[in-house]
Amino acid sequence: IKSAISVLLATVIAVSVNCMAYADGEQAELTAAEPSDQYEELLSSDKIGFYCNTATGEISVTDKKTGLVYTSNPNGAADNEALKGTARTAAQSQLILTLSDKQGNQTVINSLVESVNRDGLTVFKNKDLVKLTYKVPNYPIEIPVAYRIDGERFISEIPVGEIVSEDKELSVLISSG
């Protein structure tokens, strides 16, 4: 790691087909989103299609054999009235970061509010790889998420050696939205 941050990696991508979310005791059914015209196909093989909304970081993976579509975010999360506050923004986020300082103080942030909505998302693409980097302007950290297709496998990973942090005392727990 470029700095002395401690990184605990949890799930990088939450691929949801159907899920249930709870907010203030209410139950809200969320279903997988179909790729729309806001998604661009960035990687493809004869078996897998990888699509991304490069403005939001939302992704979609299509199994071309079965037609199944897996998405990083549930359909309708932004407009679902049963989802409130952090539950709503978490459902729209790709990463949830728990930042801890050396005194043990914790701050939980998400990629939608602290990166995407602050123009902190950048996209790099070549023929074999897509990398979305979430720069968090209010906190001294940048976290890349790399996507690639390898035969019949779709691979999502955080290249830990590419995480950038100015705070050498910061501990970061990364989980999916």
Side-chain angles (χ1 to χ4, degrees), residues 97 109-121 133-142 166:
L97 305 176
I109 62 173
N110 67 62
S111 59
L112 175 70
V113 173
E114 295 296 337
S115 182
V116 173
N117 289 352
R118 297 176 189 269
D119 296 323
L121 176 64
T133 300
Y134 295 89
K135 182 176 183 177
V136 183
N138 289 344
Y139 300 88
I141 193 161
E142 293 180 28
E166 297 170 17

Side-chain angles (χ1 to χ4, degrees), residues 18-143:
N18 286 307
C19 67
M20 302 300 281
Y22 300 91
D24 300 328
E26 293 185 47
Q27 185 172 322
E29 184 170 346
L30 302 172
T31 58
E34 291 290 328
S36 67
D37 58 355
Q38 298 174 347
Y39 285 75
E40 176 184 350
E41 185 176 61
L42 297 182
L43 296 172
S44 184
S45 72
D46 57 336
K47 303 197 185 293
I48 299 170
F50 172 73
Y51 303 84
C52 183
N53 179 331
T54 58
T56 65
E58 294 172 278
I59 68 163
S60 175
V61 178
T62 300
D63 180 330
K64 293 181 179 180
K65 182 179 177 183
T66 65
L68 287 173
V69 177
Y70 304 93
T71 62
S72 61
N73 302 82
N75 192 26
D79 302 319
N80 193 315
E81 293 300 319
L83 290 173
K84 307 285 185 209
T86 58
R88 182 179 286 182
T89 57
Q92 298 173 75
S93 296
Q94 281 58 60
L95 300 175
I96 306 297
L97 305 176
T98 303
L99 308 173
S100 301
D101 62 21
K102 68 179 183 177
Q103 289 81 29
N105 300 312
Q106 290 189 338
T107 303
V108 178
I109 62 173
N110 67 62
S111 59
L112 175 70
V113 173
E114 295 296 337
S115 182
V116 173
N117 289 352
R118 297 176 189 269
D119 296 323
L121 176 64
T122 58
V123 179
F124 167 83
K125 179 194 180 313
N126 66 26
K127 69 181 185 101
D128 300 318
L129 175 82
V130 172
K131 188 183 306 176
L132 281 71
T133 300
Y134 295 89
K135 182 176 183 177
V136 183
N138 289 344
Y139 300 88
I141 193 161
E142 293 180 28
I143 299 177

Side-chain angles (χ1 to χ4, degrees), residues 1 3-10 141 143 158 160 163 170-174:
I1 301 177
S3 68
I5 55 177
S6 302
V7 179
L8 304 173
L9 298 179
I141 193 161
I143 299 177
I158 294 177
V160 176
I163 294 174
L170 187 64
S171 175
V172 181
L173 170 65
I174 303 170

